[in-house]
Amino acid sequence: MADRAQIGVTGLAVMGRNLARNLARHGHAVAVHNRSSGRTRSLVEQFGHEGTFLPAETPEQFVASLERPRRVVIMVKAGAPTDAVIEEFAPLLEPGDMIVDAGNAHFADTRRREAALRERGLHFVGTGVSGGEEGALNGPSIMPGGSRESYEALGPLLEDISAKVDGTPCCTHVGPDGAGHFVKMVHNGIEYSDMQLIAEAYDLLRHAGGMEPAQIAEVFRKWNTGRLESYLIEITAEVLAHTDPATGRPFVDMVVDQAEQKGTGRWTVQIALDLGVPVSGIAEAVFARSLSGHAALRAAARDLPGPSPRRADSVDALVEDVERALYASKIVAYAQGFNQIQAGSAEYDWNIDPGAMATIWRGGCIIRAAFLDRIRAAYDADRNLPTLLVDDHFRDAVATAQDSWRRVVTLAAQSGIPVPGFSTALAYYDGLRARRLPAALVQGQRDFFGAHTYRRVDRDGSFHTLWAGDRSEVNG
């Protein structure tokens, strides 16, 4: 039995318990504490054989059992509960010790907490952890922020318990203060978009292709052996193949079609608006979940007129088109997410390496996918790549897919099948490549009603037209 623990976990709900077990399984002595001591005892009784746990009844005992510098991981609900735990433990710690928030905190809260604890001589490490309960136990993707000094003491333990891909840990120091939680937030935004696109692919195959869930499951299994290989494609096949034991019907048909959310996708969109970054695919995914949840609104509008359902001429051709459209739209979702990471890094002076983020997302996390290797290669070749869409590999992939992409969106519109993810991704792509956008007309309108001025294509400066007068032009 160790006298001192290398790291401690307080907050032993499922995620905290599994993270503590993961650390113990890797040979680290782990102090464990929970406000309700019953959870602490239960953890040791059930899983004490997995490694060395030092249970503590009180915060004082917990802190006393940790070696210096103390590493305190808190796994509690975001917001006020996190602040309460910090205030409970911070007075017990000494300069150089660190508090690690491994929950889904808002990055702005993390920046505030980091600054306040830094004044007290403590390190605060906002750490994104992705992979759910299974990842926490068997190897998540870990995104720690905070000071470089804190990572030197904490990083080896986190890298040890993280997922590994080709021997490389899915964990790296993201950047100062709130950088880790910011990147985790964007990860979750991409996750929303990815899931929405997959759901739309299913909807098209079901209603335009006339396929049953079990048949579509086989399509997804095949896709998971190719360029779309990913955790989300894998589990989609499992969900679609599942039969409800109570009714014998496809499981997906027995689930209420109202998707819920915990807020991180919404944060991604809100912060993108603040940064001026167009993440339209992520936004549509968030709004699609919101729309699904408005049961009364949907019921009131159910009899609105629409087109007669249409079936694709060839199911095989539809499957091929949907695969290409899904891949192209997925590229757009990741491109938008990485643009937001770059914008946040510039705004807060974090110096985040986008290629490193692609590297640590290859395993453990929910959006892990084979094509993250391609994303890593793109940013390794050019860290300041303006968008993934201009990388040679992704440019060629989208060019090859675009005819299928347009056919899919057209078929969906003609059939009355909502595909906000596919269609907004295509609109974003067309918006980027357009030589001229109708924003010029918008600027004219703004100048007309609000004298907001405009810029010209043929000379520098800002200008205003005297719309209510002789319509001459003056400097703005």
Side-chain angles (χ1 to χ4, degrees):
M1 185 73 175
D3 293 331
R4 290 284 187 275
Q6 294 167 279
I7 192 167
V9 179
T10 179
L12 300 177
V14 177
M15 284 291 290
R17 181 186 66 191
N18 283 2
L19 202 62
R21 290 174 60 196
N22 190 352
L23 286 158
R25 285 176 170 188
H26 281 81
H28 305 293
V30 187
V32 288
H33 167 266
N34 194 77
R35 186 175 294 275
S36 169
S37 58
R39 278 189 175 172
T40 309
R41 290 193 297 270
S42 174
L43 169 61
V44 176
E45 289 168 4
Q46 287 185 265
F47 306 108
H49 63 280
E50 294 184 336
T52 301
F53 296 100
L54 277 67
E57 295 285 329
T58 68
E60 290 79 8
Q61 290 176 345
F62 176 77
V63 169
S65 69
L66 292 168
E67 67 180 27
R68 297 287 316 277
R70 300 182 182 95
R71 307 167 183 91
V72 176
V73 179
I74 57 176
M75 294 292 289
V76 298
K77 290 183 179 180
T82 298
D83 284 320
V85 172
I86 290 170
E87 284 309 308
E88 184 175 25
F89 280 89
L92 305 176
L93 301 176
E94 299 175 79
D97 291 347
M98 60 200 77
I99 295 177
V100 183
D101 178 9
N104 266 336
H106 194 292
F107 82 96
D109 287 338
T110 301
R111 298 190 77 215
R112 167 179 59 79
R113 291 164 181 152
E114 193 277 336
L117 290 175
R118 191 183 339 124
E119 290 185 359
R120 298 164 71 167
L122 302 176
H123 297 284
F124 186 74
V125 184
T127 302
V129 178
S130 178
E133 297 172 11
E134 181 182 348
L137 180 61
N138 298 315
S141 174
I142 308 179
M143 296 152 259
S147 67
R148 174 63 66 178
E149 181 185 351
S150 66
Y151 191 78
E152 290 174 0
L154 177 68
L157 278 75
L158 298 184
E159 291 178 14
D160 193 26
I161 67 167
S162 72
K164 310 292 188 303
V165 176
D166 299 329
T168 301
C170 292
C171 174
T172 192
H173 181 236
V174 176
D177 55 73
H181 276 144
F182 183 93
V183 165
K184 175 57 164 55
M185 175 193 74
V186 175
H187 164 284
N188 285 22
I190 295 173
E191 177 186 308
Y192 273 55
S193 185
D194 210 344
M195 293 172 70
Q196 175 65 24
L197 293 168
I198 290 170
E200 291 176 17
Y202 153 75
D203 209 23
L204 283 159
L205 296 179
R206 184 100 192 249
H207 295 107
M211 302 174 71
E212 291 299 314
Q215 294 174 293
I216 302 171
E218 291 307 311
V219 171
F220 275 89
R221 286 198 175 108
K222 182 179 179 181
W223 285 352
N224 200 45
T225 64
R227 62 183 181 173
L228 282 172
E229 179 190 347
S230 68
Y231 174 70
L232 286 171
I233 294 288
E234 176 188 345
I235 67 170
T236 297
E238 294 299 317
V239 172
L240 290 175
H242 183 54
T243 299
D244 175 49
T247 63
R249 295 178 60 186
F251 167 78
V252 72
D253 288 346
M254 303 311 298
V255 178
V256 175
D257 62 339
Q258 297 176 23
E260 299 180 1
Q261 53 185 307
K262 290 189 174 180
T264 48
R266 185 170 63 249
W267 290 350
T268 308
V269 177
Q270 290 170 337
I271 300 306
L273 290 171
D274 292 339
L275 292 171
V277 180
V279 294
S280 50
I282 297 171
E284 284 295 348
V286 173
F287 287 130
R289 291 196 190 188
S290 179
L291 175 64
S292 77
H294 281 268
L297 177 61
R298 292 172 60 199
R302 194 147 289 147
D303 293 328
L304 291 175
S308 299
R310 291 187 55 182
R311 287 288 174 87
D313 296 331
S314 166
V315 173
D316 289 342
L318 176 65
V319 169
E320 185 176 339
D321 277 350
V322 171
E323 188 273 344
R324 290 176 175 173
L326 178 56
Y327 190 67
S329 299
K330 184 183 179 86
I331 292 169
V332 169
Y334 281 73
Q336 291 180 352
F338 275 91
N339 279 158
Q340 184 166 358
I341 289 173
Q342 289 171 309
S345 180
E347 175 71 18
Y348 299 108
D349 196 25
W350 285 331
N351 195 32
I352 297 173
D353 179 354
M357 299 307 98
T359 299
I360 67 172
W361 287 350
R362 293 182 304 157
C365 69
I366 303 301
I367 64 170
R368 58 185 184 267
F371 90 143
L372 280 159
D373 270 324
R374 294 286 189 179
I375 294 178
R376 178 184 63 168
Y379 283 113
D380 283 350
D382 181 2
R383 180 168 173 169
N384 297 313
L385 192 69
T387 172
L388 286 171
L389 290 163
V390 301
D391 170 75
D392 287 345
H393 172 79
F394 293 116
R395 177 191 176 101
D396 291 347
V398 173
T400 302
Q402 70 167 308
D403 288 345
S404 292
W405 202 2
R406 297 180 194 283
R407 280 194 296 269
V408 164
V409 171
T410 300
L411 176 63
Q414 292 173 337
S415 304
I417 299 173
V419 288
F422 282 160
S423 58
T424 197
L426 180 58
Y428 176 84
Y429 173 75
D430 284 338
L432 284 184
R433 67 178 195 83
R435 292 282 185 256
R436 288 276 292 174
L437 290 170
L441 177 58
V442 173
Q443 281 300 93
Q445 293 168 332
R446 294 179 71 245
D447 189 61
F448 191 106
F449 66 68
H452 292 297
T453 74
Y454 51 87
R455 289 177 290 114
R456 297 178 57 93
V457 300
D458 55 354
R459 57 183 185 271
D460 293 336
S462 60
F463 303 90
H464 168 57
T465 292
L466 301 175
W467 297 102
D470 62 3
R471 302 209 170 185
S472 60
E473 186 176 75
V474 298
N475 290 329

